[in-house]
Amino acid sequence: MTGNRTFTMIKPDAVENGHIGAIMEKITAAGFKIVAMKYTQLSVRDAQAFYAVHSERPFFGELVTFMTRGPIVAAILEKSNAVEDFRALIGATNPEEAAEGTIRKLYATSIGENAVHGSDSDENAAIEGAFHFAGREVY
Ligand code: CMP
């Protein structure tokens, strides 16, 4: 049984490069319904907590610096098979390995600055959505 919600962020690189509109268009054109969305900026503490699972990785400091350097768009998206379908839409973590037409192939610049986040499991989608949104902000 697969879930019907996933969590995404349009990351600071894609926001800086003016891609919010194009990325949201691809997301909605692929059949995802926006059930929560906000334009916000992560504090260092927020980013360290959100990415705690990566805290021992060599790129952790770089990741926190990147994710806090400017605003992001955070959203919860609804569609059947949401986690898997969204990861197909965004493409591989490394844009050099991402399939043609995917969001990362189009808009990401490197493995670190890869334009968008997509949850990797139903469990993490629920955790990540709750990290960013109160229940009354989800429609
Ligand atoms: P995402 O999968 O959204 O969440 C973890 C993030 O860590 C990933 O996107 C990249 O932004 C970052 N990341 C993963 N691997 C590397 C790497 N080898 N070097 C730098 N950043 C990375």
Side-chain angles (χ1 to χ4, degrees):
M1 174 75 181
T2 56
N4 64 351
R5 285 187 177 182
T6 192
F7 172 78
T8 188
M9 291 182 284
I10 300 178
K11 298 185 181 184
D13 60 327
V15 173
E16 288 160 9
N17 292 328
H19 297 316
I20 294 175
I23 291 173
M24 290 313 304
E25 169 59 22
K26 281 195 79 73
I27 290 172
T28 52
F32 290 89
K33 181 183 164 201
I34 299 160
V35 296
M37 184 161 73
K38 69 172 70 162
Y39 191 47
T40 186
Q41 184 163 357
L42 298 177
S43 67
V44 168
R45 199 167 155 176
D46 291 333
Q48 287 172 336
F50 187 86
Y51 288 111
V53 67
H54 296 303
S55 62
E56 301 303 319
R57 307 287 281 273
F59 57 80
F60 184 65
E62 188 186 321
L63 176 60
V64 170
T65 300
F66 163 55
M67 286 302 299
T68 58
R69 80 174 184 213
I72 60 159
V73 176
I76 299 174
L77 305 171
E78 195 168 83
K79 181 183 182 299
S80 62
N81 202 34
V83 166
E84 197 179 322
D85 286 3
F86 192 71
R87 287 176 73 81
L89 178 68
I90 66 178
T93 304
N94 184 347
E96 287 178 16
E97 294 163 12
E100 288 300 327
T102 60
I103 291 175
R104 283 174 171 156
K105 184 71 174 184
L106 289 166
Y107 303 117
T109 48
S110 69
I111 190 167
E113 302 202 2
N114 62 359
V116 281
H117 171 82
S119 304
D120 63 5
S121 66
D122 291 344
E123 185 190 8
N124 283 337
I127 292 168
E128 292 169 1
F131 185 93
H132 284 269
F133 296 97
R136 66 183 166 74
E137 297 177 298
V138 182
Y139 299 94

